[in-house]
Amino acid sequence: MEIEPEWVEIGQRIATARVAKQLTQQQLADALELDRTAVTKLEAGRRQLRAMELVRLADLLSRPMDWFILPPHPAIVSRRASLGDGVEDKIERVIEDLTRDLSVLIDAKALKPKNDEYLRAIKPGESDWAAEAAAADARSLISLDPYEPVHELAEVVERAGLLAFSFPLGDSAADGAYSLIEGVGMAVVNGDLPAGRRRSTLAHELGHHLFGDAHSLDWSASTSTTEQAIDSFAVNLLFPRPGVARRWKTLREEGGLRRSAIIISAEYRVSWTAALRQLRRFELISGDEYKTLDSRSPTKADYLECNVRVVEELAPTYIATGLSAAAIRAYRTYDISASRAIEILRDQVTVEELPPPNEIPLEALRAELRGELE
């Protein structure tokens, strides 16, 4: 029997989803009430998938039905080719699912790319001073005060056409990833990271977006020159020299060293480690003061005693507001179904909570009926 290429692709997808669910072929066969050989043939593309089997597979393997039978979006193909084999599966699956959602909304014209002025708008540099300059340029580009902390970072980056998402991906997953889908930037952050690292990861993905990368998969320890430059850009974006220096002077006049460091790290919403490194690099603390502060990280009680609180931005699951609004617009204009809207919204609302669809003008109904009768 000749094996058709499309069934080989479907079979590979079944195998990928099964392995991701940590199921053996026998376990999947038992759940489907099939012989193991039937699953083997399905995964090899030597047996066609029946409609009811597809429904059961989608449920058992937690994938949308069209994921098994539709070819991957060209952006996913390009991403895989760029990153190479063996990319981190968990975050890549999230990227693929979001790519499908974005493509649907872009096709429906409910989601539109920002102007290209944001892409390749900033150039990375290898020196710390170049990274500071790039961060200052980025702040100017997205209308941020050069001195003040950046709060609600996910909403801020949307101004530059970057949609931010956070999902609980576990300790073994990458810190974050970036993709450009038909002109729309998408950043996925591992929501299981501490609050400060989630923000620094999103700032890092903004760097990829503004530097004009098409794809990235970012781990906490990266040694490449470009990744280090983007790391430096990110920390300078969140913890800028002009504002930090001015605020540090005021804090030191009011209180002690440790209290000042705790307050400024909380106000600028960066990790303790990042705050200390920047304070030292800006020569606002000495080497001995850095060692003293670095020897003991602050506890929740320490922050409360200083009358500040660690804000949990990008706590999972976080869905970009731009995507959520686009999904509801597409539903209201009949471009997607209620169930598809809920799927894109990741169950943030129920079907009953969706607003009513727009009324279809009478003339449009008449024109549609005339078309059907002709």
Side-chain angles (χ1 to χ4, degrees), residues 208-228:
H208 282 292
H209 182 64
L210 296 179
F211 294 158
D213 287 353
H215 319 289
S216 77
L217 183 65
D218 298 310
W219 300 85
S220 57
S222 178
T223 57
S224 77
T225 302
T226 300
E227 290 302 305
Q228 289 178 343

Side-chain angles (χ1 to χ4, degrees), residues 137-198:
D137 289 344
R139 275 181 167 254
S140 175
L141 184 69
I142 50 183
S143 303
L144 291 174
D145 188 291
Y147 293 90
E148 294 302 314
V150 182
H151 291 169
E152 306 306 329
L153 183 61
E155 295 180 12
V156 169
V157 301
E158 281 203 32
R159 299 177 196 169
L162 179 62
L163 301 179
F165 304 87
S166 170
F167 296 94
L169 301 173
D171 295 338
S172 62
D175 284 12
Y178 169 78
S179 270
L180 186 65
I181 311 299
E182 300 177 43
V184 177
M186 169 175 55
V188 175
V189 174
N190 186 344
D192 286 329
L193 298 174
R197 269 181 63 189
R198 292 198 297 265

Side-chain angles (χ1 to χ4, degrees), residues 11-21 43 61 63 67 89:
Q12 290 172 346
R13 287 183 159 243
I14 293 171
T16 296
R18 174 181 61 76
V19 171
K21 271 290 189 178
E43 293 186 355
L61 301 179
R63 306 273 175 145
W67 183 87
D89 176 73

Side-chain angles (χ1 to χ4, degrees), residues 86-352:
V87 294
E88 202 274 339
D89 176 73
K90 194 174 293 185
I91 205 165
E92 283 302 302
R93 176 184 167 186
V94 171
I95 288 285
E96 184 166 359
D97 289 345
L98 288 172
T99 297
R100 292 168 53 252
D101 296 343
L102 264 65
S103 298
V104 166
L105 298 176
I106 291 170
D107 289 345
K109 295 183 172 52
L111 185 63
K112 297 179 181 179
K114 288 280 188 180
N115 294 334
D116 286 345
E117 64 180 296
Y118 293 105
L119 300 177
R120 296 168 294 281
I122 304 295
K123 294 182 179 180
E126 295 185 11
S127 71
D128 287 334
W129 281 107
E132 279 195 53
D137 289 344
R139 275 181 167 254
S140 175
L141 184 69
I142 50 183
S143 303
L144 291 174
D145 188 291
Y147 293 90
E148 294 302 314
V150 182
H151 291 169
E152 306 306 329
L153 183 61
E155 295 180 12
V156 169
V157 301
E158 281 203 32
R159 299 177 196 169
L162 179 62
L163 301 179
F165 304 87
S166 170
F167 296 94
L169 301 173
D171 295 338
S172 62
D175 284 12
Y178 169 78
S179 270
L180 186 65
I181 311 299
E182 300 177 43
V184 177
M186 169 175 55
V188 175
V189 174
N190 186 344
D192 286 329
L193 298 174
R197 269 181 63 189
R198 292 198 297 265
R199 277 173 46 89
S200 64
T201 298
L202 179 54
H204 183 101
E205 305 312 332
L206 176 63
H208 282 292
H209 182 64
L210 296 179
F211 294 158
D213 287 353
H215 319 289
S216 77
L217 183 65
D218 298 310
W219 300 85
S220 57
S222 178
T223 57
S224 77
T225 302
T226 300
E227 290 302 305
Q228 289 178 343
I230 296 178
D231 274 342
S232 186
F233 160 85
V235 72
N236 280 290
L237 180 79
L238 298 178
F239 207 72
R241 183 189 295 263
V244 169
R246 185 176 69 178
R247 180 60 175 145
W248 183 253
K249 180 181 178 182
T250 301
L251 288 171
R252 292 297 283 121
E253 290 172 351
E254 296 174 350
L257 175 69
R258 182 173 171 80
R259 181 179 182 277
S260 298
I262 288 173
I263 292 174
I264 203 166
S265 67
E267 288 181 346
Y268 279 86
R269 298 185 185 178
V270 298
S271 70
W272 181 246
T273 300
L276 295 188
R277 287 177 178 171
Q278 285 291 88
L279 289 172
R280 179 69 190 113
R281 198 173 70 78
F282 297 159
E283 297 184 344
L284 297 174
I285 58 176
S286 68
D288 288 340
E289 287 173 329
Y290 174 86
K291 290 178 182 177
T292 299
L293 292 170
D294 191 44
S295 65
R296 184 166 66 91
S297 298
T299 65
K300 183 178 180 179
D302 290 328
Y303 285 105
L304 293 175
E305 184 181 24
C306 294
N307 200 31
V308 292
R309 190 181 301 273
V310 175
V311 178
E312 293 284 335
E313 287 187 35
L314 292 163
T317 296
Y318 179 88
I319 306 299
T321 54
L323 183 88
S324 300
I328 293 174
R329 283 196 295 270
Y331 164 71
R332 288 175 69 96
T333 54
Y334 302 89
D335 288 293
I336 61 173
S337 65
S339 60
R340 186 70 177 97
I342 297 302
E343 185 181 60
I344 292 174
L345 292 168
R346 302 305 192 276
D347 298 318
Q348 293 180 92
V349 299
T350 64
V351 171
E352 292 73 24

